[in-house]
């Protein structure tokens, strides 16, 4: 009877699973010191990132004003978002245009400048890195752009155009809808050489020089082949990190838009998904609707990350 019992248990699939679980448990016990050191980070990450995202997704299906208990409304918030909320559709269009321009342009600019600066002598490289990284360190110094695009004759651009008789009267740069979004894009590009730029510089500096010698033996003959077959594949972690940073910055623009164009901007020309989220979350306290907006934004960022990951996986092929 004993062999029959063993055979039956093996037929249920528990036989192969038990040794696997035992092996995993032994590996976990051997690495318990590592798990103990990682535990504080995972606890903080789960508490302040994973849990809020899950709660936001749950709240997005409710009507919640922070004073009364949430009432379940199902898909009503999402239906209103895409069918009845014309301002959200404007914000969605502005955000997609903004992300489509600033994301790829700033990402490529960060890498190209890092690649060029990496060839400089050490002292010149340090100075050039500081110069290009300075806008990201300046914080709210981008408000100086309000002086450039001031709507009166004292604005630098209007003063220049008036002096050379290129215009007859000052242009209302930050009050005219057709100018607002392009100006915000220009300012964001000026601010974009930040963490991604430093990550690329660090990645280029830490590359193994022996790879280039091995590549020369294998038939690589010019810098472009080195870039495609050696440099970019070796920097995949940095490239992915930079992509996440740039995607977050391009989809999450709000401070620049509100500082330059006001809140709300004229005809919502500078309105983005994040400013729409601020409107309903921080001013109207319609937290269910705000959570629906946040969920849509999160889905857009996640989708963009997955697309970029697939593209970066093909680098060097």
């Amino acid at each position: 009877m004993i062999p029959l019992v063993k055979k039956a248990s093996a037929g249920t699939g528990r036989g192969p699973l038990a040794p696997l679980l035992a092996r995993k448990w032994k590996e976990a016990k051997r690495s318990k010191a590592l798990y103990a050191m990682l535990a504080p980070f995972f606890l903080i990450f789960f508490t302040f990132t994973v849990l809020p995202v899950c709660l936001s997704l749950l709240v997005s299906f409710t009507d919640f004003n922070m004073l009364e208990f949430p009432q379940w409304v199902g898909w009503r918030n999402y239906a209103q978002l895409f069918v009845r909320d014309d301002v959200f559709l404007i914000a969605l269009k502005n955000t997609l245009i903004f992300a489509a321009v600033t994301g790829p342009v700033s990402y490529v600019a960060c890498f190209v400048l890092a690649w060029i600066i990496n060839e400089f002598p050490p002292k010149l490289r340090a100075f050039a890195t500081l110069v290009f990284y300075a806008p990201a360190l300046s914080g709210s110094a981008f408000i100086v752009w309000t002086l450039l695009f001031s709507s009166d004759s004292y604005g630098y651009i209007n003063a220049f155009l008036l002096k050379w008789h290129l215009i007859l009267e000052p242009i209302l740069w930050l009050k005219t809808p057709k100018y607002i979004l392009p100006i915000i894009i220009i300012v964001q590009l000026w601010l974009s050489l930040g963490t991604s730029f430093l990550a690329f510089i660090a990645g280029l500096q830490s590359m193994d020089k022996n790879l280039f010698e091995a590549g020369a033996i294998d038939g690589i003959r010019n810098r472009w082949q080195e870039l495609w077959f050696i440099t970019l594949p070796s920097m995949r972690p940095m490239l992915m990190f930079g992509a996440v940073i740039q995607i977050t910055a391009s989809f999450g623009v709000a401070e620049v838009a509100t500082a330059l164009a006001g809140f709300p901007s004229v005809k919502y020309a500078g309105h983005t998904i994040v400013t729409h989220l601020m409107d309903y979350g921080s001013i109207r306290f319609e937290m269910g609707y705000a959570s629906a907006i946040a969920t849509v934004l999160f889905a857009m960022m996640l989708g963009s990350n997955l697309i970029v990951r697939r593209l970066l996986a093909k680098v060097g092929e």
Side-chain angles (χ1 to χ4, degrees):
M1 295 297 294
I2 295 177
L4 293 177
V5 173
K6 289 185 177 180
K7 185 176 180 180
S9 63
T12 60
R14 296 178 183 177
L17 183 61
L20 178 62
L21 293 176
R23 187 168 63 252
K24 293 295 183 182
W25 177 250
K26 290 181 180 179
E27 292 177 359
K29 289 178 68 176
R30 284 198 301 266
S31 305
K32 59 183 179 181
L34 298 178
Y35 288 116
M37 288 186 287
L38 289 173
F41 168 77
F42 278 110
L43 181 61
I44 295 173
F45 180 76
F46 178 82
T47 304
F48 295 102
T49 302
V50 177
L51 186 60
V53 169
C54 296
L55 290 177
S56 176
L57 178 60
L58 181 63
V59 172
S60 68
F61 293 98
T62 67
D63 182 11
F64 182 37
N65 59 9
M66 296 187 69
L67 296 177
E68 301 174 339
F69 190 81
Q71 297 180 356
W72 185 264
V73 295
W75 294 95
R76 191 182 73 183
N77 289 331
Y78 293 96
Q80 181 177 346
L81 200 62
F82 289 101
V83 177
R84 301 177 184 174
D85 194 344
D86 295 334
V87 177
F88 173 76
L89 297 180
I90 296 174
L92 179 63
K93 181 195 71 173
N94 291 340
T95 302
L96 290 176
I97 294 174
F98 188 89
V101 175
T102 60
V105 172
S106 60
Y107 185 74
V108 173
C110 284
F111 181 81
V112 170
L113 287 174
W115 188 43
I116 294 174
I117 291 174
N118 185 59
E119 302 298 324
F120 291 174
K123 292 184 179 179
L124 182 59
R125 181 171 62 240
F127 176 75
T129 302
L130 177 61
V131 169
F132 284 106
Y133 187 62
L137 293 173
S138 59
S140 298
F142 61 81
I143 296 178
V144 72
W145 288 82
T146 59
L147 298 176
L148 290 173
F149 292 103
S150 180
S151 300
D152 52 29
S153 59
Y154 295 100
Y156 293 155
I157 295 179
N158 277 336
F160 175 81
L161 296 176
L162 289 169
K163 180 179 180 180
W164 292 96
H165 305 289
L166 297 175
I167 58 175
L168 299 177
E169 59 183 10
I171 298 176
L172 304 178
W173 296 105
L174 299 175
K175 301 299 179 183
T176 305
K178 66 178 181 180
Y179 296 132
I180 292 176
L181 189 60
I183 291 174
I184 296 173
I185 290 175
I186 292 172
V187 176
Q188 184 62 34
L189 288 174
W190 177 73
L191 290 167
S192 63
L193 294 180
T195 308
S196 302
F197 175 68
L198 291 184
F200 294 155
I201 287 283
L204 290 168
Q205 285 292 299
S206 61
M207 287 196 61
D208 187 1
K209 305 301 180 185
N210 294 326
L211 293 175
F212 297 100
E213 297 178 2
I217 296 174
D218 289 339
I220 291 179
R221 294 290 178 263
N222 54 58
R223 296 299 302 276
W224 297 109
Q225 290 180 345
E226 285 184 356
L227 176 65
W228 183 253
F229 292 107
I230 298 178
T231 304
L232 292 180
S234 300
M235 290 183 56
R236 277 200 183 101
M238 282 69 73
L239 292 175
M240 190 62 213
F241 174 77
V244 171
I245 295 297
Q246 294 302 126
I247 289 172
T248 304
S250 58
F251 278 101
V253 61
E255 185 180 4
V256 176
T258 55
L260 295 178
F263 181 66
S265 55
V266 178
K267 293 185 178 180
Y268 299 101
H271 208 59
T272 64
I273 294 180
V274 176
T275 55
H276 202 57
L277 173 62
M278 292 166 53
D279 183 13
Y280 280 91
S282 303
I283 298 176
R284 308 189 192 196
F285 293 103
E286 297 182 17
M287 305 309 294
Y289 195 71
S291 296
I293 299 172
T295 302
V296 172
L297 181 61
F298 176 75
M300 292 170 60
M301 289 184 175
L302 182 61
S304 300
N305 268 315
L306 294 176
I307 293 173
V308 170
R309 186 184 295 272
R310 288 178 177 268
L311 293 176
L312 290 178
K314 298 180 180 180
V315 170
E317 295 181 355

